[in-house]
Amino acid sequence: MYGPKGQSSGAGRPPAAPKKVTVPDIRARKANGPPIAMVTAYDFTMARLLDEGGADMLLVGDSLGMVVQGHPTTLPVTVEEICYHGRAVARGARRAHVVGDMPFMSFQVSPMQALENAGRLMKDGAFESVKLEGGEEIAEHVRRIVAAGIPVCAHIGLTPQSVHAMGGFKVQGKGEENAARLVRDAQALDEAGAYAIVLEAIPPDLAEEITAAVSVPTIGIGAGAGCDGQVLVCYDMLGMYPDLRPRFAKRFAEVGEQIMAATRAYVDEVQARTFPGAEHSFKPNGPRRITPPAEPAAAVLEEIPPHWQTH
Ligand code: KIV
């Protein structure tokens, strides 16, 4: 592991920074593989772990409105909030490409509004690309952003910013007409210059058809195994909602159970006064002295872990 300023926590030198995943790398995965592994992240500590684990792309999704802030939808999320979380995630992402979600009403108004806010995400949020929800109707917005040199990841199918129009978080693309519209949407976004397209909650055969119909990688969530990559919300992937099991979200760990068990053990030890023990305490001060101890402040700081020293 490495500290926030790149310092090695062991005796050796800091590890060399790994090569960043770039937009051309992501595009090339369509032809050459391996499938893209994308996951959401909202803070520095989680980003660092997901990056070390090998995630190719970290998405600061507007899902943060639901999983970080506790709202029932993503609609309240602001550009400022996405940028705040983006800066934290960017500090933890040494290799992964970092994508910022454009929140509700930050791009729908016009291609110019979309361009201005995409620019804010890149400048204030430290993002390397932006993601927009919507189909053919936002193709012009995508074109304007891409023309300014900002890479765009598109997002079709279940688009949570339209939850009220869709009547809930429901599978999309059912029936001939809806399926054909989604294929047209994907082609329009590909043609407008998007470098990847997220396909959310659509039947797997339709996702395969779309994947074959576009020149850029598709990244599925609830869209089957035929996409060029997959994305999950990190807390779903880690099993942090013990009572919520969406069909599409495989739990790769049971971190929620572990957090609760660890908390119960901590509470028990605090109440029993068995924590902190001598091994978790600093050296006793000895008999009370009038004059301050002679050690320089740096000697005390050495005992404090590197991630504390930054605060
Ligand atoms: O906001 C988000 O987290 C997303 C992913 C689920 C694709 O858009």
Side-chain angles (χ1 to χ4, degrees):
M1 277 306 248
Y2 48 86
K5 288 179 179 156
Q7 63 276 61
S8 166
S9 57
R13 279 180 300 168
K19 183 186 170 303
K20 263 276 180 186
V21 176
T22 65
V23 165
D25 295 335
I26 295 161
R27 278 178 173 275
R29 293 285 190 93
K30 185 161 186 97
N32 308 329
I36 299 155
M38 185 196 218
V39 63
T40 66
Y42 313 100
D43 65 63
F44 166 76
T45 299
M46 184 70 84
R48 203 170 68 148
L49 293 170
L50 299 170
D51 186 82
E52 279 278 300
D56 299 306
M57 299 173 75
L58 297 182
L59 168 66
V60 178
D62 63 354
S63 51
L64 73 85
M66 300 172 77
V67 301
V68 176
Q69 299 173 336
H71 294 296
T73 72
T74 61
L75 304 191
V77 176
T78 65
V79 168
E80 288 74 18
E81 287 165 349
I82 291 284
C83 288
Y84 169 84
H85 289 274
R87 290 191 295 273
V89 168
R91 287 181 210 117
R94 302 206 319 155
R95 173 182 170 274
H97 177 86
V98 184
V99 190
D101 230 350
M102 296 199 62
F104 180 58
M105 279 299 128
S106 71
F107 64 92
Q108 286 92 342
V109 174
S110 68
M112 278 314 286
Q113 186 216 21
L115 175 57
E116 273 176 29
N117 282 322
R120 285 178 66 195
L121 260 64
M122 301 296 282
K123 285 167 80 89
D124 300 343
F127 290 109
E128 293 153 350
S129 68
V130 300
K131 178 170 87 56
L132 279 72
E133 293 181 10
E136 251 178 328
E137 73 285 358
I138 60 148
E140 195 47 40
H141 305 51
V142 171
R143 212 183 309 280
R144 288 300 279 267
I145 299 171
V146 171
I150 301 173
V152 172
C153 177
H155 180 162
I156 61 173
L158 196 174
T159 46
Q161 291 175 15
S162 309
V163 59
H164 296 304
M166 293 183 307
F169 298 102
K170 294 178 178 169
V171 175
Q172 301 295 303
K174 284 189 179 162
E176 191 66 24
E177 206 177 308
N178 292 328
R181 185 176 47 75
L182 280 181
V183 176
R184 279 200 310 276
D185 284 339
Q187 289 175 323
L189 294 160
D190 181 13
E191 199 263 325
Y195 73 88
I197 306 174
V198 169
L199 305 180
E200 180 163 354
I202 65 174
D205 50 341
L206 174 58
E208 277 187 38
E209 186 185 340
I210 293 173
T211 300
V214 295
S215 71
V216 293
T218 57
I219 303 176
I221 174 164
C227 299
D228 300 303
Q230 298 293 326
V231 53
L232 281 178
V233 168
C234 60
Y235 301 149
D236 287 339
M237 190 261 286
L238 295 170
M240 289 175 69
Y241 301 102
D243 49 354
L244 194 71
R245 290 184 175 268
R247 184 187 172 88
F248 61 85
K250 178 172 173 180
R251 296 176 180 192
F252 289 82
E254 293 295 342
V255 172
E257 295 291 353
Q258 284 196 300
I259 290 176
M260 289 188 293
T263 309
R264 279 191 289 269
Y266 168 67
V267 170
D268 286 350
E269 290 199 23
V270 168
Q271 290 178 350
R273 295 190 187 279
T274 52
F275 173 81
E279 71 278 30
H280 298 117
S281 303
F282 297 108
K283 286 191 201 83
N285 212 10
R288 188 183 290 271
R289 282 174 290 199
I290 307 293
T291 48
E295 306 97 298
V300 177
L301 265 182
E302 269 169 23
E303 295 186 25
I304 297 177
H307 62 282
W308 286 15
Q309 291 180 26
T310 61
H311 301 303

